[in-house]
Amino acid sequence: MTKITNEQQYEWAVARVEQLLPLVTDETPRTDPNSIELELLSNLVADYSDEHYSIGKPSTLHIIHEVMAAKELKKTY
């Protein structure tokens, strides 16, 4: 598989990544088959997520409104 092309493949890949995560640690060699599979599938999942579930970047105006709300600032004219 070189690219995830549909939701069914995506769900399978996510489930497989979840199975592999407990098997791969920082000490696992990069040449270990589980480590290789985890890296490849993680990249495929990330690419599909970025393409289909991206929330985009917030606008400058949105950021200003969020900061104002967090600091309890109000517009004055």
Side-chain angles (χ1 to χ4, degrees):
M1 179 183 322
T2 59
K3 182 177 180 179
I4 295 174
T5 58
N6 59 53
E7 191 68 23
Q8 183 179 9
Q9 290 175 347
Y10 175 76
E11 290 175 8
W12 176 87
V14 168
R16 183 64 182 143
V17 165
E18 290 174 353
Q19 291 172 345
L20 291 167
L21 281 172
L23 305 176
V24 178
T25 67
D26 291 338
E27 290 78 36
T28 304
R30 292 182 59 90
T31 56
D32 180 84
N34 288 331
S35 180
I36 294 168
E37 184 180 4
L38 178 60
E39 183 174 354
L40 291 172
L41 286 177
S42 295
N43 289 334
L44 292 174
V45 167
D47 290 345
Y48 187 87
S49 295
D50 288 346
E51 185 177 340
H52 296 279
Y53 299 114
S54 178
I55 58 173
K57 295 180 180 178
S59 69
T60 303
L61 183 59
H62 179 76
I63 293 170
I64 291 170
H65 285 159
E66 290 295 317
V67 170
M68 288 178 67
K71 294 184 177 188
E72 298 181 2
L73 300 175
K74 297 180 182 175
K75 288 192 250 181
T76 59
Y77 295 94

